[in-house]
Amino acid sequence: MKPKLILLCFALIGHLFGQDTLLIPNLSDFVGKEDSVYNKAYEFQYKDPNSSILYANIYLALAQKANDSTTLCYAWMLKADAHYFKNELDKSEFYYKKALNYVKRHKDPFHDIPYLYGALGDVYSSRGYYYKAIDYFTLSLEITEASGLDVQTCYIKLSIASMYELQYNFEEAKKLIDEVLKYGFEKKDKEIIYEGKYSLLDYYYESKQFSKLVPLSREIIQTAYDYNDIMSQAYIHSDMAIGFAYENMADSAIYHAEKSIDAGNKFKDPFTISYMQMGYAETLLLINKPDQALPWAKRAYALSKKQNSRTL
């Protein structure tokens, strides 16, 4: 499953706005700079989770100092996000639930609640509890559908489709993807069409319809570049590499595997990099180069172990 769909989905819905062992600098230096602190915490989520947690702690301390309960809620959400990207799932769940309890009591349920339900779905998905993840995504879906948030509803459906794929329930996954694509074509929404096809590409890979990888990848790869969507570039090139490998087109397979590595390195997310490395290893195995595949598999394993990855 590609992580991008779920992350993008819930970034659109909400305001992504105990101390940890990271040392907080002099708090007075950050008074009046709350927006900058928040942005730093968000900026570092992928490339440096420790720094993200540090800035999230500063933001939380500022909210506590100001005794502003609404800002404090956003600080919990920010900390939950930061811990999620470090794969500290217990802490992430704790802060998401603190924020959820607050917004249920004090805030517009059509605003932050669907984001928080979806975020908790992410946490359970990352633990491999796909049924429970679907339960939370569905709670989010019910709110966005009731409030007429059609675009957000489409993204949640794609997230649920990914969960179904991981349970090998490909019929239900395809049904949701088709619903999203139908909406996209009816509304002539190019971004929804792109995201729907991107999800369809993942569906083809998970359901082992490898002959369909290259044609669909060719349809959407340029859009990924047009949108400067580096994460998607990496995954699409990786799928193209696998597709070409199954077609016994070794040179094309290697070309796209290398492009996936380049995009992964450019994106600077350790999980994405390790996924691309494993994809390169898979490609090399498929074209009968096991000796070259082993070093890439070892790199992927070492990086995922370093990041405490729960996926590879």
Side-chain angles (χ1 to χ4, degrees):
M1 179 196 65
K2 299 179 179 71
K4 175 209 161 195
L5 291 171
I6 294 176
L7 300 180
L8 179 56
C9 162
F10 296 105
L12 286 173
I13 294 173
H15 286 297
L16 290 174
F17 276 124
Q19 297 300 331
D20 300 286
T21 56
L22 297 172
L23 181 64
I24 296 180
N26 187 350
L27 196 62
S28 62
D29 293 340
F30 298 94
V31 174
K33 301 176 182 178
E34 288 81 2
D35 288 346
S36 177
V37 171
Y38 172 86
N39 290 335
K40 284 291 186 182
Y42 183 75
E43 175 188 344
F44 284 117
Q45 282 178 351
Y46 275 116
K47 58 187 179 182
D48 188 353
N50 283 328
S51 292
S52 180
I53 292 171
L54 173 61
Y55 280 104
N57 286 342
I58 295 170
Y59 192 79
L60 176 61
L62 290 169
Q64 291 171 331
K65 183 179 178 65
N67 196 27
D68 182 340
S69 58
T70 300
T71 303
L72 186 61
C73 176
Y74 285 121
W76 292 331
M77 293 166 71
L78 189 62
K79 273 185 64 63
D81 290 338
H83 286 296
Y84 176 81
F85 281 97
K86 197 181 177 185
N87 198 33
E88 295 179 343
L89 299 180
D90 288 343
K91 290 182 180 180
S92 181
E93 180 184 7
F94 173 77
Y95 285 108
Y96 280 138
K97 286 186 174 179
K98 278 179 72 75
L100 181 62
N101 289 335
Y102 176 85
V103 298
K104 280 183 174 180
R105 294 194 307 269
H106 299 288
K107 292 175 64 61
D108 181 358
F110 293 101
H111 201 177
D112 292 304
I113 286 181
Y115 168 76
L116 288 164
Y117 279 143
L120 285 165
D122 286 347
V123 170
Y124 288 114
S125 170
S126 297
R127 288 173 171 156
Y129 301 158
Y130 304 128
Y131 287 102
K132 196 163 186 178
I134 288 175
D135 288 342
Y136 275 99
F137 290 147
T138 301
L139 288 170
S140 181
L141 181 68
E142 290 171 352
I143 295 174
T144 59
E145 284 184 324
S147 57
L149 300 173
D150 294 336
V151 172
Q152 290 88 339
T153 294
C154 285
Y155 282 101
I156 300 171
K157 286 182 176 180
L158 295 180
S159 297
I160 296 174
S162 294
M163 296 300 98
Y164 280 131
E165 289 168 20
L166 291 171
Q167 298 176 71
Y168 305 103
N169 189 344
F170 297 114
E171 182 179 352
E172 291 298 321
K174 184 63 160 53
K175 187 186 301 183
L176 289 170
I177 295 169
D178 286 345
E179 288 177 7
V180 171
L181 284 170
K182 180 181 178 182
Y183 173 87
F185 283 115
E186 287 177 350
K187 299 297 183 180
K188 298 181 181 179
D189 188 320
K190 293 181 179 179
E191 187 167 340
I192 291 296
I193 294 170
Y194 165 65
E195 295 295 343
K197 288 185 175 181
Y198 181 87
S199 187
L200 184 61
L201 185 66
D202 192 37
Y203 165 83
Y204 286 149
Y205 178 84
E206 296 292 346
S207 60
K208 303 187 186 305
Q209 299 183 52
F210 300 117
S211 65
K212 297 181 179 180
L213 292 178
V214 171
L216 183 54
S217 294
R218 282 174 167 161
E219 285 186 34
I220 62 176
I221 187 63
Q222 186 56 52
T223 306
Y225 280 94
D226 292 343
Y227 288 167
N228 195 30
D229 187 353
I230 301 171
M231 181 192 283
S232 292
Q233 293 167 24
Y235 282 97
I236 295 169
H237 279 300
S238 183
D239 283 342
M240 290 183 83
I242 299 297
F244 278 120
Y246 272 99
E247 293 176 11
N248 297 313
M249 298 177 65
D251 289 344
S252 294
I254 291 295
Y255 171 81
H256 286 286
E258 290 177 348
K259 294 285 284 185
S260 74
I261 293 292
D262 290 343
N265 289 336
K266 185 177 180 182
F267 190 60
K268 297 181 180 179
D269 168 44
F271 172 79
T272 300
I273 293 170
S274 63
Y275 192 102
M276 296 308 113
Q277 291 171 343
M278 189 59 75
Y280 204 160
E282 182 180 358
T283 300
L284 290 165
L285 283 174
L286 288 170
I287 60 175
N288 297 315
K289 294 186 177 181
D291 291 342
Q292 295 181 36
L294 185 58
W296 284 104
K298 286 182 176 179
R299 290 184 200 177
Y301 175 75
L303 182 56
S304 64
K305 186 176 181 181
K306 181 180 178 181
Q307 298 298 320
N308 191 27
S309 174
R310 67 279 181 186
T311 303
L312 289 177

